[in-house]
Amino acid sequence: MGRPRKFDETRALTAVMHTFWQRGYEATSTRDLAESTGMGLSSLSNAFGDKRQLYLRALRRYYETNTAVQTDLLRRPGPVKDRVRALMTQAIDIDLANPPSSGCLIMNASMERASTDPEVAQEVRRHFTTVEQAVRSALAEGQDSGEITRDQDAGTLAHHVLSTYYGLRVLARVQPDRTALTNVVETLLAKL
């Protein structure tokens, strides 16, 4: 008889995150979550709490992983426009992957649960605020170096960039045309 597998909380939370990401909150059952983690229902509940608590933990896991990747792209060295392009083209690549992705978990949460659950809304705001601050900081750096226009302040430009970024995430689901999506990115960058 083999040794029992050691509980790996990070692996389990990542599996939970991906399950909610693929199915959404309402369509995900606790049985789905147990199957994705390889845990029994009672073990899952004992380790993480109820479905809602698991969802909040999944959103926090997304923040630790995916939000960190987004902000890291914006903070790396090099031209600011290249960093913004990298952020957007990475999202396009993810959204057009085969099989197609389920978009952005935080955007999905904002549409599905944030208006009815204050803690979900708080997690969504934390993600959006963090990415907005990273975009604003990169754009301000570009304005200081002369790479980015000073016609508007960095905060206003950041809102424009983020509106385009999140719009691309939605557009990719209904118009999976890489050329059209990258043209949107290049148009935005030309205006910066």
Side-chain angles (χ1 to χ4, degrees):
M1 194 155 114
R3 296 175 68 184
R5 189 171 56 171
K6 184 180 176 191
F7 174 68
D8 183 342
E9 182 175 329
T10 300
R11 186 194 65 75
L13 281 174
T14 300
V16 164
M17 177 185 75
H18 284 289
T19 303
F20 280 126
W21 197 345
Q22 292 297 316
R23 296 173 175 252
Y25 181 82
E26 293 300 330
T28 300
S29 70
T30 52
R31 182 164 308 283
D32 295 329
L33 296 169
E35 287 176 11
S36 73
T37 62
M39 299 172 73
L41 286 172
S42 62
S43 296
L44 184 69
S45 178
N46 289 337
F48 298 110
D50 64 10
K51 177 180 166 181
R52 182 177 169 277
Q53 291 303 313
L54 274 164
Y55 189 64
L56 291 169
R57 298 276 303 266
L59 294 176
R60 291 178 192 122
R61 180 75 184 137
Y62 185 91
Y63 181 86
E64 295 165 359
T65 56
N66 294 56
T67 304
V69 168
Q70 293 168 6
T71 57
D72 287 348
L73 283 171
L74 293 163
R75 292 180 180 136
R76 69 184 189 192
V80 172
K81 287 184 180 183
D82 288 350
R83 292 185 252 164
V84 172
R85 181 182 290 110
L87 173 73
M88 294 193 171
T89 57
Q90 179 201 49
I92 291 169
D93 291 343
I94 290 168
D95 290 342
L96 298 183
N98 191 8
S101 80
S102 295
C104 171
L105 177 61
I106 293 299
M107 284 184 56
N108 297 347
S110 72
M111 291 183 281
E112 185 179 20
R113 302 283 305 160
S115 65
T116 59
D117 188 323
E119 287 183 88
V120 170
Q122 181 179 346
E123 290 301 322
V124 167
R125 274 192 305 275
R126 180 168 76 131
H127 166 85
F128 285 140
T129 299
T130 299
V131 175
E132 179 184 344
Q133 289 171 347
V135 170
R136 180 184 298 143
S137 178
L139 293 173
E141 180 185 330
Q143 286 179 322
D144 289 344
S145 71
E147 179 186 356
I148 302 295
T149 182
R150 291 178 172 263
D151 291 348
Q152 297 177 332
D153 66 79
T156 301
L157 290 175
H159 289 145
H160 185 65
V161 168
L162 290 173
S163 294
T164 303
Y165 175 71
Y166 292 119
L168 283 171
R169 305 299 309 258
V170 173
L171 189 57
R173 294 176 111 179
V174 295
Q175 185 183 2
D177 178 344
R178 185 172 189 11
T179 301
L181 297 171
T182 56
N183 285 343
V184 170
V185 173
E186 294 306 319
T187 301
L188 168 73
L189 293 172
K191 292 180 181 181
L192 294 178

